[in-house]
């Protein structure tokens, strides 16, 4: 089976023919139909973050496919079922965080496409308990971005406790941000979308943003304060500056949720303003299996739209370059079903 493999952090991915992976206890084998390209995959391939993946590895954690085989004793999912393979590849189920509904914080978790081989491959083994069924009627090309970009921003909107009278600032209108705009609207918020690309701001307006700010032209914090300040901010940017702008644009008592993971890992926060204005700054990482099931439910009901463009896995390196250059509307999705060119 074909797989895109990272062999060194300073080299492009290589396409390899690998043997079919063995199904271990509690696992299932999934034949991929689609897999999204998340910015995390680029960081993983470059070894950008403090904890680096072991080499070689297969990136990808927005995998959608059909279960082809299950280990002995596994009854769920069933062979033939369509499932999603998310970032949370496995969690222990027994620790404090797993028990209280925060499996995404499990210290023992395995992360797909980082700690364990991911979904840039035709065949992928996954924990049967941690794949999430994809309801009929959802296009696998839509389901892939929902599996990380969707669930991550859906959870961030929950963490931000967005209410009907809230002004919600969404920093960065890419793969994550374009979903954040929609979930903030669904929660009843008035959305202000911030980006440096005018075409992405047009997309944000199409998806329900009431206001847009081009941060290449205007200061987002000044405009947010003119609007009364943001009750909630979801920051999906991949550089630190928008995080500072978000903080400076918060309303008293506001909740700022950090979602993007810049390679440059530092943010300076003014203590005085944080204390006196009662601002909450928090992080939010992906979402649980239940969050993802809810994301699929909303999409199946027609409440969300996924903006994506399709590529073949052979084009993985070009696709990553295009995403890094900001040349891609929202999400790249690799389609494994497309015939070889
Ligand atoms: Zn991701
Ligand atoms: Zn756990």
């Amino acid at each position: 089976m074909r797989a895109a493999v990272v062999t060194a952090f300073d080299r492009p991915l290589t396409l390899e023919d690998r043997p079919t992976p063995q199904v271990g206890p509690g696992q299932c084998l999934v034949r991929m139909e689609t897999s999204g390209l998340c910015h995390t995959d680029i960081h993983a391939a470059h070894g950008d973050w403090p904890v680096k993946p072991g080499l070689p590895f297969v990136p990808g954690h927005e995998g959608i496919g059909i279960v082809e085989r299950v280990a002995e004793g596994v009854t769920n999912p069933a062979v033939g079922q369509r499932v999603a393979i998310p970032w949370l590849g496995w969690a222990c189920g027994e620790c404090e965080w797993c028990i209280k509904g925060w499996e995404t914080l499990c210290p023992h978790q395995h992360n797909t496409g980082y700690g364990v081989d991911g979904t840039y491959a035709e065949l992928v083994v996954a924990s049967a308990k941690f794949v999430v069924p994809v309801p009929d009627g959802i296009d696998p090309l839509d389901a892939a971005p929902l599996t990380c970009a969707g669930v991550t921003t859906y959870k961030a909107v929950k963490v931000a406790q967005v209410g009907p009278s809230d002004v919600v600032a969404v920093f960065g209108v890419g793969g994550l941000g374009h979903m954040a705009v929609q979930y903030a609207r669904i929660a009843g918020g008035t959305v202000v979308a911030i980006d440096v690309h005018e075409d992405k701001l047009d997309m944000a307006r199409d998806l329900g943003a009431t206001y847009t700010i081009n941060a290449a032209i205007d200061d987002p914090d000044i405009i947010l304060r003119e609007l009364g300040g943001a009750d909630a901010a979801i920051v999906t940017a991949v550089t630190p500056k928008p995080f500072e702008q978000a903080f400076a644009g918060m309303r008293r008592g506001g909740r700022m949720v950090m979602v993007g993971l810049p390679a440059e890992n530092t943010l300076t926060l003014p203590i005085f303003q944080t204390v006196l204005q009662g601002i909450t700054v928090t992080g939010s990482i992906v979402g649980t299996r239940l969050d993802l099931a809810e994301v699929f439910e909303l999409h199946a009901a027609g409440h969300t739209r996924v903006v994506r463009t399709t590529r073949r896995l052979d084009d993985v390196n070009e696709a990553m370059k295009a995403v890094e250059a900001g040349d891609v509307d929202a999400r790249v999705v690799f389609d494994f079903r497309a015939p070889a060119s």
Side-chain angles (χ1 to χ4, degrees):
M1 61 106 183
R2 296 275 281 168
V5 183
V6 177
T7 55
F9 295 126
D10 58 355
R11 282 210 292 273
L13 280 73
T14 54
L15 281 130
E16 293 179 6
D17 283 312
R18 291 187 149 193
T20 298
Q22 294 296 310
V23 178
Q27 290 183 322
C28 57
L29 180 72
V30 183
R31 182 169 292 278
M32 288 291 101
E33 299 178 288
T34 61
S35 181
L37 194 175
C38 178
H39 219 107
T40 293
D41 303 331
I42 299 176
H43 290 302
H46 291 343
D48 276 341
W49 289 336
V51 180
K52 297 180 201 312
L55 295 168
F57 74 98
V58 177
H61 56 271
E62 287 187 342
I64 305 298
I66 304 293
V67 177
E68 194 156 286
R69 201 181 305 158
V70 295
E72 208 184 311
V74 169
T75 53
N76 196 21
V79 169
Q81 194 172 0
R82 177 172 290 128
V83 295
I85 305 180
W87 171 253
L88 186 68
W90 180 86
C92 79
E94 293 170 356
C95 71
E96 172 188 341
W97 295 277
C98 281
I99 289 169
K100 68 181 175 190
W102 283 93
E103 62 192 21
T104 51
L105 302 183
C106 176
H108 311 294
Q109 68 185 271
H110 298 167
N111 295 125
T112 310
Y114 210 91
V116 296
D117 277 341
T119 58
Y120 288 9
E122 287 171 331
L123 290 164
V124 180
V125 285
S127 165
K129 283 202 169 85
F130 283 83
V131 299
V132 174
V134 180
D136 289 341
I138 296 186
D139 186 332
L141 290 167
D142 286 349
L146 293 173
T147 300
C148 180
V151 74
T152 298
T153 49
Y154 178 68
K155 185 67 160 192
V157 166
K158 280 189 178 180
V159 168
Q161 298 168 30
V162 174
S165 67
D166 284 347
V167 170
V168 185
V170 174
F171 280 78
V173 187
L176 277 86
H178 92 286
M179 296 308 302
V181 166
Q182 299 177 69
Y183 295 126
R185 281 289 300 130
I186 289 169
T190 299
V191 176
V192 187
I194 299 110
D195 204 288
V196 292
H197 299 284
E198 207 54 54
D199 52 335
K200 293 191 174 176
L201 296 173
D202 290 343
M203 174 171 74
R205 274 189 293 273
D206 276 353
L207 295 172
T210 302
Y211 304 97
T212 57
I213 304 171
N214 186 334
I217 298 167
D218 294 309
D219 284 330
D221 48 314
I222 293 173
I223 295 180
L224 284 170
R225 285 198 303 271
E226 283 169 6
L227 292 168
D231 297 285
I234 314 284
V235 190
T236 73
V238 292
T239 56
K241 195 175 173 202
F243 291 78
E244 286 167 13
Q245 293 170 330
F247 183 88
M250 298 306 295
R251 186 178 173 87
R252 288 169 177 255
R255 286 103 37 211
M256 168 175 157
V257 181
M258 303 200 272
V259 174
L261 291 166
E264 198 185 320
N265 191 22
T266 306
L267 168 68
T268 303
L269 279 184
I271 297 167
F272 192 84
Q273 285 84 343
T274 309
V275 172
L276 267 70
Q277 295 174 20
I279 294 169
T280 302
V281 178
T282 185
S284 184
I285 178 75
V286 295
T288 64
R289 289 168 285 180
L290 181 61
D291 293 319
L292 182 52
E294 291 171 3
V295 159
F296 285 148
E297 205 178 303
L298 286 171
H299 195 74
H303 296 308
T304 52
R305 211 171 96 207
V306 176
V307 181
R308 33 80 177 170
T309 167
T310 307
R311 300 281 180 101
R312 302 204 52 245
L313 189 63
D314 289 344
D315 302 327
V316 61
N317 292 304
E318 294 73 21
M320 282 188 171
K321 280 200 195 94
V323 171
E324 283 183 296
D327 289 343
V328 176
D329 278 348
R331 211 55 152 184
V332 168
V333 181
F334 298 114
D335 191 343
F336 293 85
R337 304 162 301 176
S341 53

